[in-house]
Amino acid sequence: EGARLKVEARLLPEGRPAYSLHFPVTRVKPVCLTQDESWLVGLAWEHQKPVIFVFDTDSGEFLHRVTLKMASVKDVLGLVAVRGDRHNTVAIIEADKASLCDLKNKRFLKPIPYWTGESTRDGRWGLSAPARGGLDLLDMGQEGAVATCLVPRKSQGVAKVHALFNATDEYVVYYGAEREILLFRVGGGQLLARYLVAAEVSSLAASRDGLSLVYGTAEGGVTRLVIADHDKKESYRHLRSLPSRQKEP
């Protein structure tokens, strides 16, 4: 069966080991926690079939397994917890779809085409951002139906794509083949900002307060961008509080 993946849990802040667990793999994929964090989930390979192993998060005890309906895990990008009222459901993310698995009842739900695994905290909205271009806001309550087309799909070749919600779930941030960071308002889909970057973006994240974005480039640079929304008074207050780069210290 080949290699076995070791997962070790440690207690914070002292860092003492709590437990370790192992399961067979052919390709290492990131493990994830279910939405309520009660189960730890890993993608395994057993008896020549892909399997999801489910463990108790507190103790590391093996609970059960779910055999997947796919021939290989080569195209699987990872596992993510499905938010909302599906507490024990995870999504198996691939380039062209996300397959939903109800771990408690060991059944599969309708796949969502091109869902990236990104969703708002309440699980209402998701994002579809194929590597070949385009960005859609998905209604997760309607099985991933397209609610708003934010960036039309057009032939642009395969590119590194980043798509995410900010921490307050008010905005969608997108980077694609055009080397632009786009900012959209979730409510209504309005394009608020277009920021052209000089080098390829290798990483993109939002701050915890929801007011800033940070991106890193392949050349090693790190840049912070502040979200300026003309319809929000909080945005004006935040901009006024920032130190001016024109003033001498």
Side-chain angles (χ1 to χ4, degrees):
E1 292 279 77
R4 294 180 66 82
L5 179 68
K6 178 182 178 181
V7 178
E8 185 173 272
R10 291 180 176 266
L11 299 174
L12 296 177
E14 60 271 23
R16 288 189 294 107
Y19 61 81
S20 62
L21 52 89
H22 303 77
F23 53 88
V25 297
T26 55
R27 295 173 182 267
V28 176
K29 305 292 180 179
V31 298
C32 78
L33 299 176
T34 52
Q35 180 188 227
D36 60 4
E37 300 186 352
S38 61
W39 290 352
L40 187 150
V41 183
L43 187 60
W45 183 262
E46 188 178 56
H47 306 309
Q48 302 301 312
K49 293 180 180 179
V51 180
I52 287 180
F53 275 38
V54 181
F55 302 89
D56 181 88
T57 302
D58 291 331
S59 66
E61 177 187 359
F62 172 74
L63 300 176
H64 62 270
R65 59 173 59 79
V66 180
T67 302
L68 300 182
K69 299 178 179 179
M70 56 177 61
S72 169
V73 299
K74 182 180 69 171
D75 297 325
V76 174
L77 303 177
L79 301 174
V80 299
V82 176
R83 297 175 175 176
D85 57 359
R86 297 172 175 174
H87 301 294
N88 299 117
T89 301
V90 297
I92 302 114
I93 306 298
E94 300 178 71
D96 60 346
K97 68 178 183 297
S99 302
L100 306 189
C101 178
D102 180 344
L103 299 173
K104 183 177 181 180
N105 299 300
K106 298 184 180 182
R107 65 188 182 95
F108 294 89
L109 309 176
K110 184 179 179 181
I112 300 176
Y114 295 109
W115 181 37
T116 63
E118 288 284 341
S119 64
T120 52
R121 289 169 295 174
D122 60 5
R124 180 181 180 186
W125 305 110
L127 294 176
S128 168
R132 294 187 178 277
L135 174 67
D136 295 324
L137 183 69
L138 305 179
D139 187 340
M140 304 303 287
Q142 299 295 324
E143 298 183 329
V146 175
T148 307
C149 176
L150 301 175
V151 177
R153 296 186 184 183
K154 59 182 180 180
S155 179
Q156 60 181 27
V158 177
K160 179 67 174 179
V161 171
H162 299 276
L164 64 149
F165 294 96
N166 79 319
T168 59
D169 294 334
E170 297 173 276
Y171 308 106
V172 175
V173 186
Y174 176 77
Y175 170 84
E178 302 295 329
R179 287 196 174 182
E180 294 176 323
I181 296 176
L182 306 179
L183 181 72
F184 299 89
R185 186 179 285 121
V186 171
Q190 178 186 0
L191 176 64
L192 297 178
R194 186 190 301 270
Y195 183 86
L196 183 63
V197 295
E200 181 182 354
V201 171
S202 56
S203 58
L204 179 63
S207 62
R208 291 183 179 180
D209 61 10
L211 300 175
S212 302
L213 307 173
V214 178
Y215 72 87
T217 66
E219 297 178 350
V222 177
T223 303
R224 177 192 175 201
L225 304 176
V226 177
I227 295 175
D229 188 341
H230 55 77
D231 287 343
K232 290 190 64 178
K233 291 183 179 180
E234 181 185 1
S235 183
Y236 283 97
R237 288 195 296 268
H238 180 61
L239 288 171
R240 283 196 295 266
S241 72
L242 296 174
S244 172
R245 291 186 295 178
Q246 305 300 320
K247 291 183 179 181
E248 293 293 332

PDB file of all heavy atoms in Angstrom, residues 2-23:
ATOM      1  N   GLY A   2       2.166   1.118   0.263  1.00  0.00           N
ATOM      2  CA  GLY A   2       3.045   2.272   0.150  1.00  0.00           C
ATOM      3  C   GLY A   2       3.182   3.044   1.440  1.00  0.00           C
ATOM      4  O   GLY A   2       3.153   2.503   2.536  1.00  0.00           O
ATOM      5  N   ALA A   3       3.312   4.371   1.301  1.00  0.00           N
ATOM      6  CA  ALA A   3       3.649   5.240   2.421  1.00  0.00           C
ATOM      7  C   ALA A   3       2.463   5.446   3.355  1.00  0.00           C
ATOM      8  O   ALA A   3       1.301   5.241   2.988  1.00  0.00           O
ATOM      9  CB  ALA A   3       4.138   6.579   1.895  1.00  0.00           C
ATOM     10  N   ARG A   4       2.801   5.873   4.582  1.00  0.00           N
ATOM     11  CA  ARG A   4       1.782   6.225   5.565  1.00  0.00           C
ATOM     12  C   ARG A   4       2.042   7.654   6.032  1.00  0.00           C
ATOM     13  O   ARG A   4       3.165   8.023   6.335  1.00  0.00           O
ATOM     14  CB  ARG A   4       1.806   5.263   6.760  1.00  0.00           C
ATOM     15  CG  ARG A   4       1.402   3.847   6.390  1.00  0.00           C
ATOM     16  CD  ARG A   4       1.447   2.932   7.596  1.00  0.00           C
ATOM     17  NE  ARG A   4       0.454   3.281   8.600  1.00  0.00           N
ATOM     18  CZ  ARG A   4      -0.827   2.908   8.547  1.00  0.00           C
ATOM     19  NH1 ARG A   4      -1.253   2.166   7.524  1.00  0.00           N
ATOM     20  NH2 ARG A   4      -1.669   3.251   9.497  1.00  0.00           N
ATOM     21  N   LEU A   5       0.994   8.439   6.066  1.00  0.00           N
ATOM     22  CA  LEU A   5       1.099   9.832   6.488  1.00  0.00           C
ATOM     23  C   LEU A   5       0.924   9.912   8.001  1.00  0.00           C
ATOM     24  O   LEU A   5       0.012   9.313   8.568  1.00  0.00           O
ATOM     25  CB  LEU A   5       0.027  10.669   5.800  1.00  0.00           C
ATOM     26  CG  LEU A   5      -0.004  12.161   6.161  1.00  0.00           C
ATOM     27  CD1 LEU A   5       1.231  12.854   5.619  1.00  0.00           C
ATOM     28  CD2 LEU A   5      -1.265  12.815   5.610  1.00  0.00           C
ATOM     29  N   LYS A   6       1.801  10.676   8.644  1.00  0.00           N
ATOM     30  CA  LYS A   6       1.699  10.900  10.078  1.00  0.00           C
ATOM     31  C   LYS A   6       1.158  12.295  10.335  1.00  0.00           C
ATOM     32  O   LYS A   6       1.654  13.279   9.800  1.00  0.00           O
ATOM     33  CB  LYS A   6       3.065  10.747  10.758  1.00  0.00           C
ATOM     34  CG  LYS A   6       3.033  11.026  12.256  1.00  0.00           C
ATOM     35  CD  LYS A   6       4.418  10.907  12.873  1.00  0.00           C
ATOM     36  CE  LYS A   6       4.404  11.230  14.362  1.00  0.00           C
ATOM     37  NZ  LYS A   6       5.752  11.143  14.970  1.00  0.00           N
ATOM     38  N   VAL A   7       0.128  12.380  11.161  1.00  0.00           N
ATOM     39  CA  VAL A   7      -0.440  13.656  11.575  1.00  0.00           C
ATOM     40  C   VAL A   7      -0.282  13.758  13.086  1.00  0.00           C
ATOM     41  O   VAL A   7      -0.691  12.848  13.817  1.00  0.00           O
ATOM     42  CB  VAL A   7      -1.928  13.772  11.194  1.00  0.00           C
ATOM     43  CG1 VAL A   7      -2.506  15.094  11.681  1.00  0.00           C
ATOM     44  CG2 VAL A   7      -2.111  13.633   9.687  1.00  0.00           C
ATOM     45  N   GLU A   8       0.312  14.838  13.539  1.00  0.00           N
ATOM     46  CA  GLU A   8       0.552  15.014  14.978  1.00  0.00           C
ATOM     47  C   GLU A   8      -0.167  16.253  15.477  1.00  0.00           C
ATOM     48  O   GLU A   8      -0.070  17.321  14.874  1.00  0.00           O
ATOM     49  CB  GLU A   8       2.046  15.127  15.255  1.00  0.00           C
ATOM     50  CG  GLU A   8       2.390  15.203  16.739  1.00  0.00           C
ATOM     51  CD  GLU A   8       3.879  15.135  16.993  1.00  0.00           C
ATOM     52  OE1 GLU A   8       4.413  14.017  17.125  1.00  0.00           O
ATOM     53  OE2 GLU A   8       4.510  16.207  17.031  1.00  0.00           O
ATOM     54  N   ALA A   9      -0.899  16.093  16.580  1.00  0.00           N
ATOM     55  CA  ALA A   9      -1.595  17.214  17.212  1.00  0.00           C
ATOM     56  C   ALA A   9      -0.831  17.621  18.472  1.00  0.00           C
ATOM     57  O   ALA A   9      -0.378  16.757  19.234  1.00  0.00           O
ATOM     58  CB  ALA A   9      -3.020  16.821  17.575  1.00  0.00           C
ATOM     59  N   ARG A  10      -0.703  18.939  18.677  1.00  0.00           N
ATOM     60  CA  ARG A  10       0.006  19.453  19.847  1.00  0.00           C
ATOM     61  C   ARG A  10      -0.867  20.451  20.602  1.00  0.00           C
ATOM     62  O   ARG A  10      -1.710  21.129  20.006  1.00  0.00           O
ATOM     63  CB  ARG A  10       1.327  20.117  19.435  1.00  0.00           C
ATOM     64  CG  ARG A  10       2.368  19.129  18.924  1.00  0.00           C
ATOM     65  CD  ARG A  10       3.652  19.820  18.517  1.00  0.00           C
ATOM     66  NE  ARG A  10       4.675  18.864  18.130  1.00  0.00           N
ATOM     67  CZ  ARG A  10       5.597  18.378  18.952  1.00  0.00           C
ATOM     68  NH1 ARG A  10       5.622  18.779  20.229  1.00  0.00           N
ATOM     69  NH2 ARG A  10       6.489  17.505  18.530  1.00  0.00           N
ATOM     70  N   LEU A  11      -0.648  20.522  21.895  1.00  0.00           N
ATOM     71  CA  LEU A  11      -1.395  21.430  22.750  1.00  0.00           C
ATOM     72  C   LEU A  11      -0.690  22.782  22.799  1.00  0.00           C
ATOM     73  O   LEU A  11       0.525  22.854  22.949  1.00  0.00           O
ATOM     74  CB  LEU A  11      -1.508  20.855  24.165  1.00  0.00           C
ATOM     75  CG  LEU A  11      -2.227  19.506  24.287  1.00  0.00           C
ATOM     76  CD1 LEU A  11      -2.132  18.983  25.710  1.00  0.00           C
ATOM     77  CD2 LEU A  11      -3.686  19.631  23.860  1.00  0.00           C
ATOM     78  N   LEU A  12      -1.475  23.847  22.679  1.00  0.00           N
ATOM     79  CA  LEU A  12      -0.930  25.203  22.768  1.00  0.00           C
ATOM     80  C   LEU A  12      -1.323  25.829  24.103  1.00  0.00           C
ATOM     81  O   LEU A  12      -2.378  25.515  24.641  1.00  0.00           O
ATOM     82  CB  LEU A  12      -1.470  26.049  21.608  1.00  0.00           C
ATOM     83  CG  LEU A  12      -1.044  25.589  20.205  1.00  0.00           C
ATOM     84  CD1 LEU A  12      -1.707  26.473  19.152  1.00  0.00           C
ATOM     85  CD2 LEU A  12       0.462  25.635  20.055  1.00  0.00           C
ATOM     86  N   PRO A  13      -0.472  26.678  24.696  1.00  0.00           N
ATOM     87  CA  PRO A  13       0.749  27.237  24.095  1.00  0.00           C
ATOM     88  C   PRO A  13       2.020  26.449  24.375  1.00  0.00           C
ATOM     89  O   PRO A  13       3.074  26.756  23.832  1.00  0.00           O
ATOM     90  CB  PRO A  13       0.835  28.612  24.768  1.00  0.00           C
ATOM     91  CG  PRO A  13       0.264  28.373  26.131  1.00  0.00           C
ATOM     92  CD  PRO A  13      -0.844  27.359  25.949  1.00  0.00           C
ATOM     93  N   GLU A  14       1.943  25.428  25.222  1.00  0.00           N
ATOM     94  CA  GLU A  14       3.181  24.760  25.624  1.00  0.00           C
ATOM     95  C   GLU A  14       3.763  23.872  24.538  1.00  0.00           C
ATOM     96  O   GLU A  14       4.953  23.545  24.558  1.00  0.00           O
ATOM     97  CB  GLU A  14       2.971  23.939  26.903  1.00  0.00           C
ATOM     98  CG  GLU A  14       1.932  22.841  26.779  1.00  0.00           C
ATOM     99  CD  GLU A  14       0.538  23.305  27.127  1.00  0.00           C
ATOM    100  OE1 GLU A  14       0.270  24.526  27.050  1.00  0.00           O
ATOM    101  OE2 GLU A  14      -0.294  22.444  27.463  1.00  0.00           O
ATOM    102  N   GLY A  15       2.949  23.449  23.564  1.00  0.00           N
ATOM    103  CA  GLY A  15       3.456  22.656  22.446  1.00  0.00           C
ATOM    104  C   GLY A  15       3.624  21.183  22.734  1.00  0.00           C
ATOM    105  O   GLY A  15       4.269  20.462  21.957  1.00  0.00           O
ATOM    106  N   ARG A  16       3.059  20.694  23.834  1.00  0.00           N
ATOM    107  CA  ARG A  16       3.168  19.266  24.162  1.00  0.00           C
ATOM    108  C   ARG A  16       2.369  18.426  23.161  1.00  0.00           C
ATOM    109  O   ARG A  16       1.251  18.796  22.791  1.00  0.00           O
ATOM    110  CB  ARG A  16       2.641  18.982  25.569  1.00  0.00           C
ATOM    111  CG  ARG A  16       3.530  19.484  26.689  1.00  0.00           C
ATOM    112  CD  ARG A  16       3.043  18.952  28.037  1.00  0.00           C
ATOM    113  NE  ARG A  16       1.741  19.496  28.395  1.00  0.00           N
ATOM    114  CZ  ARG A  16       0.608  18.799  28.368  1.00  0.00           C
ATOM    115  NH1 ARG A  16       0.597  17.535  27.948  1.00  0.00           N
ATOM    116  NH2 ARG A  16      -0.523  19.361  28.732  1.00  0.00           N
ATOM    117  N   PRO A  17       2.922  17.263  22.736  1.00  0.00           N
ATOM    118  CA  PRO A  17       2.171  16.380  21.840  1.00  0.00           C
ATOM    119  C   PRO A  17       0.900  15.866  22.521  1.00  0.00           C
ATOM    120  O   PRO A  17       0.932  15.434  23.670  1.00  0.00           O
ATOM    121  CB  PRO A  17       3.152  15.237  21.555  1.00  0.00           C
ATOM    122  CG  PRO A  17       4.497  15.796  21.864  1.00  0.00           C
ATOM    123  CD  PRO A  17       4.294  16.768  22.981  1.00  0.00           C
ATOM    124  N   ALA A  18      -0.222  15.934  21.809  1.00  0.00           N
ATOM    125  CA  ALA A  18      -1.486  15.405  22.319  1.00  0.00           C
ATOM    126  C   ALA A  18      -1.711  13.989  21.812  1.00  0.00           C
ATOM    127  O   ALA A  18      -2.065  13.085  22.561  1.00  0.00           O
ATOM    128  CB  ALA A  18      -2.644  16.311  21.901  1.00  0.00           C
ATOM    129  N   TYR A  19      -1.484  13.778  20.534  1.00  0.00           N
ATOM    130  CA  TYR A  19      -1.594  12.447  19.939  1.00  0.00           C
ATOM    131  C   TYR A  19      -1.030  12.511  18.533  1.00  0.00           C
ATOM    132  O   TYR A  19      -0.792  13.590  17.975  1.00  0.00           O
ATOM    133  CB  TYR A  19      -3.049  11.959  19.907  1.00  0.00           C
ATOM    134  CG  TYR A  19      -3.990  12.831  19.104  1.00  0.00           C
ATOM    135  CD1 TYR A  19      -4.073  12.736  17.711  1.00  0.00           C
ATOM    136  CD2 TYR A  19      -4.813  13.756  19.736  1.00  0.00           C
ATOM    137  CE1 TYR A  19      -4.928  13.531  16.983  1.00  0.00           C
ATOM    138  CE2 TYR A  19      -5.675  14.568  19.013  1.00  0.00           C
ATOM    139  CZ  TYR A  19      -5.730  14.447  17.639  1.00  0.00           C
ATOM    140  OH  TYR A  19      -6.586  15.244  16.910  1.00  0.00           O
ATOM    141  N   SER A  20      -0.786  11.362  17.951  1.00  0.00           N
ATOM    142  CA  SER A  20      -0.414  11.268  16.546  1.00  0.00           C
ATOM    143  C   SER A  20      -1.230  10.148  15.917  1.00  0.00           C
ATOM    144  O   SER A  20      -1.647   9.205  16.603  1.00  0.00           O
ATOM    145  CB  SER A  20       1.087  11.000  16.373  1.00  0.00           C
ATOM    146  OG  SER A  20       1.445   9.765  16.955  1.00  0.00           O
ATOM    147  N   LEU A  21      -1.475  10.249  14.630  1.00  0.00           N
ATOM    148  CA  LEU A  21      -2.242   9.231  13.910  1.00  0.00           C
ATOM    149  C   LEU A  21      -1.609   9.007  12.549  1.00  0.00           C
ATOM    150  O   LEU A  21      -0.873   9.847  12.044  1.00  0.00           O
ATOM    151  CB  LEU A  21      -3.720   9.637  13.807  1.00  0.00           C
ATOM    152  CG  LEU A  21      -4.031  11.035  13.254  1.00  0.00           C
ATOM    153  CD1 LEU A  21      -4.176  11.009  11.743  1.00  0.00           C
ATOM    154  CD2 LEU A  21      -5.292  11.580  13.900  1.00  0.00           C
ATOM    155  N   HIS A  22      -1.907   7.865  11.955  1.00  0.00           N
ATOM    156  CA  HIS A  22      -1.320   7.483  10.673  1.00  0.00           C
ATOM    157  C   HIS A  22      -2.409   6.921   9.757  1.00  0.00           C
ATOM    158  O   HIS A  22      -3.372   6.304  10.228  1.00  0.00           O
ATOM    159  CB  HIS A  22      -0.229   6.420  10.854  1.00  0.00           C
ATOM    160  CG  HIS A  22       0.875   6.821  11.782  1.00  0.00           C
ATOM    161  ND1 HIS A  22       0.752   6.810  13.154  1.00  0.00           N
ATOM    162  CD2 HIS A  22       2.142   7.256  11.512  1.00  0.00           C
ATOM    163  CE1 HIS A  22       1.885   7.215  13.710  1.00  0.00           C
ATOM    164  NE2 HIS A  22       2.738   7.481  12.740  1.00  0.00           N
ATOM    165  N   PHE A  23      -2.235   7.142   8.453  1.00  0.00           N
ATOM    166  CA  PHE A  23      -3.099   6.472   7.483  1.00  0.00           C
ATOM    167  C   PHE A  23      -2.355   6.369   6.152  1.00  0.00           C
ATOM    168  O   PHE A  23      -1.468   7.178   5.861  1.00  0.00           O
ATOM    169  CB  PHE A  23      -4.454   7.171   7.320  1.00  0.00           C
ATOM    170  CG  PHE A  23      -4.397   8.636   7.020  1.00  0.00           C
ATOM    171  CD1 PHE A  23      -4.306   9.107   5.713  1.00  0.00           C
ATOM    172  CD2 PHE A  23      -4.451   9.565   8.047  1.00  0.00           C
ATOM    173  CE1 PHE A  23      -4.273  10.452   5.439  1.00  0.00           C
ATOM    174  CE2 PHE A  23      -4.417  10.930   7.776  1.00  0.00           C
ATOM    175  CZ  PHE A  23      -4.331  11.373   6.482  1.00  0.00           C
TER     176      PHE A  23
END
